[in-house]
Amino acid sequence: MILNLNIYNITQPVIKEANKSSLLKRFLIKSMEGFLIKRLSKLNSAIEDSILKVEGTHVHLKELSTESANDMLIQIKQSISNLEKIYEKMQEHNFLDNNNELKSKFKYLLKSLYKSEAITHKIVYKEKETLKTDESIKKGIIKMNSHFYKKTV
């Protein structure tokens, strides 16, 4: 019996399988990159659209009644909360590190929502009754502040 040591034939199955998996890997990476680019593009355009809509409501928010402003304030706070959670998740996964444009647009959207919240907050709490602070409490606070200031200086 003659031992045939043909290394090429021995390694050929490994090479074929590696090439198949490499081909599959390249196909998946390219398709995933395309998918990710499309998703980022859609997210970018959705953020731009939302920014324009939120900024457009600033003028109309000032005309709201107290009750409708209160309802709007609740909606705005829920939106801010949801967007902050999404932003934190994106930060955890380093999603925004490589995309400064998306990060800045996301921050600008939050800034616009905070402005809307401030406008509606003023309307809701404008007519609320405020409590007067008792004079003894005011004098006590002044005394504490002056005592603390003397210690630090």
Side-chain angles (χ1 to χ4, degrees):
M1 181 167 134
I2 300 174
L3 186 60
N4 186 4
L5 292 177
N6 191 343
I7 302 297
Y8 181 77
N9 287 340
I10 294 171
T11 58
Q12 198 59 31
V14 175
I15 293 170
K16 283 182 181 179
E17 287 302 315
N19 284 336
K20 286 180 184 176
S21 64
S22 175
L23 184 68
L24 181 64
K25 183 179 173 183
R26 279 184 267 148
F27 171 74
L28 288 175
I29 288 173
K30 285 187 179 187
S31 62
M32 290 301 288
E33 284 177 351
F35 176 75
L36 183 62
I37 289 170
K38 286 179 187 176
R39 298 305 307 163
L40 284 174
S41 175
K42 285 183 179 181
L43 179 61
N44 220 352
S45 64
I47 290 174
E48 287 176 356
D49 191 42
S50 295
I51 288 171
L52 291 174
K53 288 178 181 178
V54 169
E55 286 185 342
T57 61
H58 288 169
V59 175
H60 302 292
L61 287 175
K62 295 174 184 175
E63 301 166 0
L64 290 176
S65 67
T66 306
E67 294 155 359
S68 58
N70 192 26
D71 294 338
M72 186 65 69
L73 182 62
I74 292 169
Q75 291 176 6
I76 292 170
K77 285 184 178 184
Q78 287 175 342
S79 296
I80 289 173
S81 173
N82 292 337
L83 285 172
E84 285 177 340
K85 287 177 187 175
I86 291 170
Y87 186 78
E88 287 174 9
K89 285 181 183 178
M90 290 176 140
Q91 288 275 33
E92 286 175 10
H93 299 294
N94 299 326
F95 191 72
L96 297 173
D97 289 346
N98 298 330
N99 199 336
N100 289 331
E101 181 183 2
L102 183 65
K103 186 176 184 177
S104 65
K105 286 181 182 180
F106 211 93
K107 284 184 176 183
Y108 192 80
L109 176 60
L110 284 171
K111 181 181 175 183
S112 296
L113 283 170
Y114 289 137
K115 187 173 181 178
S116 298
E117 181 187 25
I119 292 168
T120 53
H121 192 272
K122 282 181 183 178
I123 295 169
V124 170
Y125 293 102
K126 181 176 15 177
E127 297 175 6
K128 295 275 182 171
E129 184 179 322
T130 57
L131 300 174
K132 296 289 181 183
T133 306
D134 190 38
E135 285 297 317
S136 62
I137 294 174
K138 287 181 182 178
K139 289 179 184 177
I141 292 172
I142 291 170
K143 186 177 178 182
M144 279 183 4
N145 286 341
S146 64
H147 181 69
F148 176 75
Y149 182 71
K150 285 178 185 177
K151 281 185 175 181
T152 58
V153 176

